[in-house]
Amino acid sequence: MKLKKTILKLLFVLVLGSSVFAQERVHDFNFDWKFKLVEDTTIPTQIPLEDSKWRDIRLPHDWSVEHSFRDDLEGCTGYLPGGVGVYQKHFKTPINIANEKAYVLFDGVYCNATFWLNGKKLGENPYGYSPAYFDLTNKLKADGSDNILTVHVDHSRYADGRWYTGSGIYRNVQLITTNKLHIPIWGTYVTTPEISEENAIVKLETKVKNDSKKRSKFTLATEIYDANGILVASSKSESKLSSSKEIAIVQNINVENPKLWDLDSPNMYKAVTKVIVAGKTVDNYTTPFGFRTIKHIKNDGFFLNGKSTFVKGVCIHHDGGLVGAAVPKGVWKRRLQALKDAGVNAIRTSHNPFSQEFYDLCDEMGLLVQAEIFDEFDNPKDKRWNMQERKQDDITDGYTTMHFQKWAKSDLTRSMLRDRNHPSIFEWSIGNEIEWTYEHYRHVSGLWDPGAKGYWNRLPNISAKEMQERYKNLPDRKYKLTETAQKLANWTREIDNTRPVTANLIIPVASLASGYAQTLDIVGFSYQIKQYDWSKKNYPNLHFTGNENAGTWEEWNSIIEDPMIYSMYMWTGIDYLGEANNKWPQKGWDGDILDFAGFKKVGWDHFKTIWVNKPHISLGTYPVKDSLMVDPLSGKVKITSPKFLKWNNQRAQKIWNYKKGQTIIVEVPSNLPKAELLLNGKSLGWRTLSGSPDRILRWAVPYEPGILTARAGFDGQEVEVELKTTTQPVKIELTVDKSELDADGYDVAHIIAQLVDKDGNHVKTTEVNLTFEVDGDIKVLGVDNGSNTSIQDYQTNTLKTSKGRALLLVQSFKKSSLVKIKASSTEFNSNTIQIQTK
């Protein structure tokens, strides 16, 4: 089988070699840059700049995460600084200017970026999350001397986001070279209007642009290849195009026996489109895509490829812990795989477009994506307090304050044109919890009236009609949410009408009264699940579901019991930097499933018990708290606070080390009907799911050292898990997820250091200061221990452990090397691991 795949790949290269690989149009432009931080926020006028003494760097690059955390900075963006940086790249003219063109494509620059080539301005892009490209052709040098590309990035207003944004050219950069008769960047649009087991139609709309001075006659030829490189279909179209004109050509291509893109089998195809003039290929363009059908049916939920599908989603932000916003693909892959192993099948990109690489991974791994565009519309949120603006100052002035009115359509358009061919993307979200930012808006709901008991997950105390009247009687105002949302929704549908438009509504009953909800195809609730039935009764023609959730059994149960509600997105799947105002040394937000280092949290097991259709059981422990009560007669744990009915329980730890006789709460998440707990082989009784309101079984246990065991299941099919009392650590154990790396300058390896005792048990109750020693040619990206209150520097090789463990992240260079890594503290040493880059 392995030999067969190798042969097929070789055939793929041979088949495409003459047309695709021999005439590459996309070139890596990440290496050999110069960088400098500057004090002056004024955009320079004498460009290019003298850069001989600047730092040599490669992209992607985030300068904020290179600095130390400081308590005099702002918690909203993770207590890390911004500033102003300038990048320059020297390069030879890559094309024959007479008949070719060159573009530079930036996947993301945060933020307020201005671009020049050889001192001539190319343009700007204020929004830090949208891609942008520029035509270099007419500004390139023809005398053989170096061109200089200059990028000025102004993130001096460093608290301009509600979460960690990063600073700099933090995503990939590409050089695109084409013939003057060519397919523009993002110039293809693939849809699959008809799919059956026997046949599928690929509708490919391709734009062709003629920047030459003469009329051109050409053939547009498209070949469809499957994942093994086998040609499965083709089409040709003859056309003519006048000088300085652009045309859109539609090809309907039949593919027999299509393999569907699905969650478990994410089959991908490629459409390779060539522009041919007089028998010669002058341009080619590759479009990855997949065959899949999506349907959202109001009374029945969501269907993927005709199958009813629960969307088991998580919200995540765009940072990757120690790497900040410049996240290598391998870091995302490790994190997404861990989420998928817990049963996650969907990601909400909170609250902005992510990188091209991220969506590529979701395509490859079989994850649905709700792609979100904006966190604010006309009015800003308070960056420190997350809601309506309370205070305005220079460092928090951001995109909405300064640019949204002018740039919103352009940023939305560019992001969607880049992303609309991804089969993973199944919904477009135009915005997140926008209602906070419109004056008087929330009072439409009645939930803030005198005597009301609060808005959080409450039923309205006034009628839908009265809310509508209140909205009509609001004072006149400059911006109206419904009007802005309608524009955004219309723009979205113009670019792609194959996916529904949604948004995340934090005051849904008010948004129904105002008409904001009616601008959407799917009305997404931000929490507020108790308002589902009220909303369906008063607005029966709309489709409601969950776009952001707290993490309770009640929320998941709302999906199981109501066919209309098909999704929940947990806030949040991975710990992220920021949203930590006045919480020093807490630097970010605690999530449900993975921590800052990508280590699994107790919530990983909780979600696996409901989202994976396999027997699962786990153990967590913590000392008894005030919110819990132990019944003196039955000895059972009683919950006295609703906060305990959340799966993102930060209290439970996977340890069995306490004081003798101390009362310990033992939690056992399970998807089996009952489970037994044993201490040193002695049964402590059974608990049942039916008697557990949040599907977590609990015991109150007087601590004794030894082995704590939970087991469940039927005869011959039992599953069990145990925790052991550990002794003092005796060494550091190193493990690595990849022992071989491609020497491409991108591939990464995660090295985990864990304290262990004499029996090899992981010791999670002792901390040490350790140092990683790296021998060989490899880049140390940084270290982390996963703790939300760790304010140690990331870009170093020393740190203090948390739960007895730490992470080292390394990245290959563009050369082969045998790398040896070990770790040590004042008391312990580790084994040595080897990584081969080649």
Side-chain angles (χ1 to χ4, degrees):
M1 180 60 72
K2 209 169 182 181
L3 179 61
K4 183 179 179 182
K5 286 185 177 179
T6 302
I7 293 171
L8 288 173
K9 286 181 180 178
L10 287 171
L11 287 172
F12 186 35
V13 172
L14 290 172
V15 168
L16 295 180
S18 61
S19 59
V20 177
F21 298 108
Q23 298 182 34
E24 288 284 359
R25 68 177 258 155
V26 179
H27 312 272
D28 189 334
F29 223 45
N30 284 333
F31 291 84
D32 303 319
W33 285 77
K34 295 281 190 176
F35 171 73
K36 182 182 180 181
L37 280 173
V38 297
E39 297 295 328
D40 191 356
T41 61
T42 305
I43 295 178
T45 55
Q46 299 298 315
I47 302 289
L49 302 172
E50 167 55 42
D51 60 14
S52 59
K53 296 182 180 180
W54 294 12
R55 282 175 56 192
D56 293 316
I57 66 159
R58 56 143 295 186
L59 306 177
H61 173 240
D62 175 2
W63 79 68
S64 289
V65 81
E66 297 175 344
H67 291 77
S68 298
F69 295 96
R70 286 172 29 198
D71 62 357
D72 62 331
L73 297 175
E74 294 292 338
C76 59
T77 46
Y79 299 104
L80 288 168
V84 179
V86 188
Y87 297 83
Q88 289 196 157
K89 181 176 176 65
H90 299 242
F91 64 101
K92 297 294 183 182
T93 295
I95 60 170
N96 180 339
I97 298 174
N99 55 24
E100 294 179 314
K101 293 187 68 77
Y103 301 86
V104 63
L105 170 59
F106 293 87
D107 201 41
V109 183
Y110 205 92
C111 60
N112 299 310
T114 309
F115 307 84
W116 299 264
L117 181 64
N118 299 324
K120 298 175 183 177
K121 188 174 178 180
L122 296 168
E124 57 190 87
N125 192 38
Y127 195 35
Y129 302 113
S130 58
Y133 69 87
F134 303 97
D135 189 344
L136 306 179
T137 310
N138 295 331
K139 298 177 179 63
L140 289 167
K141 292 187 176 180
D143 60 4
S145 61
D146 277 357
N147 299 281
I148 303 178
L149 180 62
T150 307
V151 184
H152 182 273
V153 185
D154 184 354
H155 194 204
S156 55
R157 295 178 172 87
Y158 71 93
D160 61 339
R162 296 191 302 113
W163 55 86
Y164 179 79
T165 62
S167 301
I169 308 178
Y170 70 109
R171 294 181 184 167
N172 290 320
V173 182
Q174 295 175 335
L175 177 72
I176 314 293
T177 56
T178 73
N179 189 273
K180 290 201 171 181
L181 179 69
H182 65 282
I183 301 169
I185 293 171
W186 312 321
T188 62
Y189 180 30
V190 177
T191 57
T192 53
E194 298 179 24
I195 300 176
S196 68
E197 289 187 10
E198 295 79 21
N199 292 282
I201 299 297
V202 178
K203 180 182 178 182
L204 177 64
E205 179 182 307
T206 304
K207 292 182 179 178
V208 180
K209 188 175 183 181
N210 185 8
D211 282 330
S212 69
K213 295 180 179 179
K214 60 181 181 179
R215 180 180 175 88
S216 295
K217 181 180 179 181
F218 64 93
T219 300
L220 190 74
T222 297
E223 299 170 333
I224 307 292
Y225 294 88
D226 68 12
N228 294 317
I230 304 300
L231 177 67
V232 296
S234 63
S235 178
K236 289 185 178 181
S237 304
E238 306 294 332
S239 190
K240 297 178 182 178
L241 190 59
S242 300
S243 173
S244 303
K245 297 293 184 180
E246 183 175 285
I247 190 174
I249 299 172
V250 175
Q251 296 173 311
N252 290 293
I253 308 170
N254 183 70
V255 175
E256 296 181 353
N257 305 312
K259 295 179 181 178
L260 299 183
W261 184 94
D262 211 332
L263 300 173
D264 297 322
S265 302
N267 295 294
M268 293 292 293
Y269 288 75
K270 288 183 179 180
V272 179
T273 305
K274 295 171 281 187
V275 179
I276 302 170
V277 177
K280 180 182 178 181
T281 298
V282 299
D283 191 31
N284 62 78
Y285 195 108
T286 299
T287 308
F289 71 98
F291 293 102
R292 56 103 177 99
T293 63
I294 55 172
K295 287 186 179 179
H296 299 70
I297 303 175
K298 181 174 69 69
N299 293 320
D300 300 313
F302 169 67
F303 293 78
L304 177 63
N305 298 325
K307 181 181 178 181
S308 178
T309 302
F310 289 148
V311 174
K312 307 166 185 177
V314 291
C315 307
I316 60 175
H317 275 305
H318 75 146
D319 75 272
L322 69 91
V323 292
V327 188
K329 189 174 182 179
V331 171
W332 274 130
K333 188 171 185 178
R334 172 177 175 257
R335 292 175 175 223
L336 291 178
Q337 187 59 58
L339 291 174
K340 190 159 186 176
D341 290 344
V344 172
N345 65 14
I347 305 294
R348 175 174 169 236
T349 59
S350 318
H351 304 288
N352 50 264
F354 277 30
S355 69
Q356 170 75 40
E357 279 189 326
F358 182 87
Y359 300 118
D360 288 343
L361 266 176
C362 291
D363 288 344
E364 296 165 15
M365 298 178 71
L367 286 163
L368 295 166
V369 175
Q370 182 186 104
E372 198 153 72
I373 309 295
F374 295 119
D375 185 52
E376 303 166 317
F377 291 172
D378 303 303
N379 306 307
K381 293 176 182 173
D382 191 299
K383 303 304 185 291
R384 299 180 179 90
W385 296 105
N386 283 341
M387 293 169 63
Q388 62 273 21
E389 190 169 36
R390 305 180 188 184
K391 177 184 175 183
Q392 183 176 359
D393 49 39
D394 284 345
I395 64 167
T396 61
D397 278 345
Y399 174 78
T400 292
T401 310
M402 307 172 71
H403 303 292
F404 179 82
Q405 304 304 325
K406 176 181 177 181
W407 285 86
K409 184 176 183 180
S410 174
D411 289 312
L412 179 146
T413 300
R414 283 180 277 120
S415 299
M416 288 187 63
L417 288 177
R418 182 196 66 178
D419 299 333
R420 63 183 177 176
N421 292 323
H422 289 282
S424 57
I425 295 178
F426 79 119
E427 294 172 346
W428 300 110
S429 173
I430 57 174
N432 168 63
E433 296 187 357
I434 303 296
E435 297 101 312
W436 294 131
T437 65
Y438 291 82
E439 192 176 7
H440 308 301
Y441 192 96
R442 59 181 176 159
H443 297 289
V444 169
S445 68
L447 296 170
W448 278 266
D449 287 359
K453 296 182 179 180
Y455 83 96
W456 190 257
N457 215 14
R458 302 274 185 183
L459 288 175
N461 54 2
I462 62 175
S463 69
K465 186 175 181 180
E466 185 174 345
M467 289 186 203
Q468 293 162 10
E469 287 299 317
R470 286 191 180 193
Y471 181 74
K472 290 178 183 177
N473 293 328
L474 286 180
D476 196 21
R477 51 222 183 270
K478 184 176 182 180
Y479 300 117
K480 297 178 181 178
L481 172 53
T482 301
E483 294 176 357
T484 299
Q486 189 65 68
K487 285 193 299 184
L488 292 167
N490 289 345
W491 294 338
T492 301
R493 294 182 184 110
E494 288 171 7
I495 299 167
D496 176 40
N497 60 8
T498 69
R499 302 167 175 92
V501 178
T502 187
N504 191 41
L505 308 187
I506 188 62
I507 318 173
V509 294
S511 292
L512 287 162
S514 72
Y516 170 30
Q518 286 81 344
T519 69
L520 310 170
D521 302 309
I522 304 292
V523 182
F525 277 41
S526 189
Y527 314 100
Q528 317 297 12
I529 65 169
K530 290 184 178 177
Q531 296 174 8
Y532 279 143
D533 288 340
W534 185 95
S535 300
K536 287 191 293 181
K537 179 182 178 181
N538 288 281
Y539 298 90
N541 295 324
L542 299 181
H543 191 169
F544 305 99
T545 195
N547 278 359
E548 188 170 320
N549 302 89
T552 67
W553 169 249
E554 183 183 21
E555 288 171 309
W556 180 243
N557 207 41
S558 70
I559 293 177
I560 295 173
E561 294 185 350
D562 188 339
M564 176 186 285
I565 313 301
Y566 62 86
S567 64
M568 65 187 293
Y569 290 88
M570 304 314 308
W571 192 266
T572 172
I574 308 175
D575 293 0
Y576 62 90
L577 291 166
E579 291 198 68
N581 185 54
N582 291 337
K583 294 181 180 179
W584 180 270
Q586 179 180 325
K587 63 192 176 190
W589 188 282
D590 277 318
D592 295 311
I593 299 179
L594 304 178
D595 68 16
F596 284 93
F599 296 141
K600 295 172 184 175
K601 306 175 78 167
V602 290
W604 186 91
D605 287 291
H606 297 178
F607 286 105
K608 187 169 183 178
T609 63
I610 64 163
W611 282 353
V612 176
N613 191 26
K614 292 180 181 179
H616 186 66
I617 192 170
S618 68
L619 269 171
T621 67
Y622 53 93
V624 66
K625 299 289 185 181
D626 294 338
S627 300
L628 295 177
M629 182 178 72
V630 180
D631 187 289
L633 296 177
S634 68
K636 291 185 177 180
V637 179
K638 291 186 175 181
I639 298 173
T640 58
S641 168
K643 291 182 179 179
F644 267 70
L645 301 180
K646 291 178 66 174
W647 293 318
N648 55 350
N649 180 353
Q650 303 302 318
R651 299 172 298 277
Q653 303 296 326
K654 293 188 176 184
I655 61 172
W656 191 239
N657 286 70
Y658 296 97
K659 294 179 181 179
K660 188 172 178 62
Q662 184 179 9
T663 300
I664 304 301
I665 302 301
V666 178
E667 291 191 343
V668 179
S670 177
N671 53 9
L672 294 158
K674 62 179 182 177
E676 182 183 19
L677 186 69
L678 302 95
L679 179 56
N680 296 324
K682 180 182 178 181
S683 178
L684 302 180
W686 297 77
R687 298 286 187 268
T688 64
L689 287 186
S690 61
S692 306
D694 56 355
R695 294 173 61 94
I696 298 176
L697 316 183
R698 292 182 177 86
W699 285 258
V701 180
Y703 175 72
E704 290 181 15
I707 302 176
L708 188 68
T709 306
R711 65 187 182 192
F714 301 100
D715 186 27
Q717 298 178 328
E718 296 92 349
V719 293
E720 69 174 46
V721 64
E722 64 181 24
L723 293 175
K724 294 181 179 179
T725 301
T726 58
T727 55
Q728 291 298 310
V730 297
K731 66 177 181 178
I732 303 166
E733 180 183 78
L734 292 189
T735 56
V736 62
D737 62 341
K738 295 176 70 174
S739 58
E740 289 188 0
L741 297 181
D742 292 332
D744 58 4
Y746 292 101
D747 209 0
V748 297
H750 298 78
I751 297 94
I752 297 173
Q754 175 69 60
L755 298 178
V756 297
D757 66 11
K758 59 182 177 60
D759 298 316
N761 300 314
H762 290 186
V763 178
K764 302 178 182 179
T765 54
T766 301
E767 310 304 345
V768 299
N769 293 303
L770 62 78
T771 299
F772 288 100
E773 301 172 33
V774 180
D775 180 19
D777 289 323
I778 204 163
K779 182 178 182 179
V780 173
L781 290 178
V783 293
D784 193 12
N785 62 18
S787 170
N788 196 3
T789 56
S790 172
I791 49 173
Q792 303 170 92
D793 286 355
Y794 280 142
Q795 298 200 358
T796 179
N797 65 334
T798 64
L799 80 166
K800 186 176 182 178
T801 60
S802 176
K803 301 178 183 177
R805 67 187 173 189
L807 170 72
L808 169 71
L809 183 66
V810 297
Q811 186 173 54
S812 68
F813 287 123
K814 282 189 168 183
K815 58 183 175 180
S816 297
S817 179
L818 178 63
V819 181
K820 297 180 180 180
I821 300 173
K822 59 183 179 179
S824 62
S825 69
T826 55
E827 301 176 68
F828 313 115
N829 292 308
S830 76
N831 55 307
T832 299
I833 63 166
Q834 294 186 355
I835 299 174
Q836 179 69 59
T837 63
K838 57 184 180 179

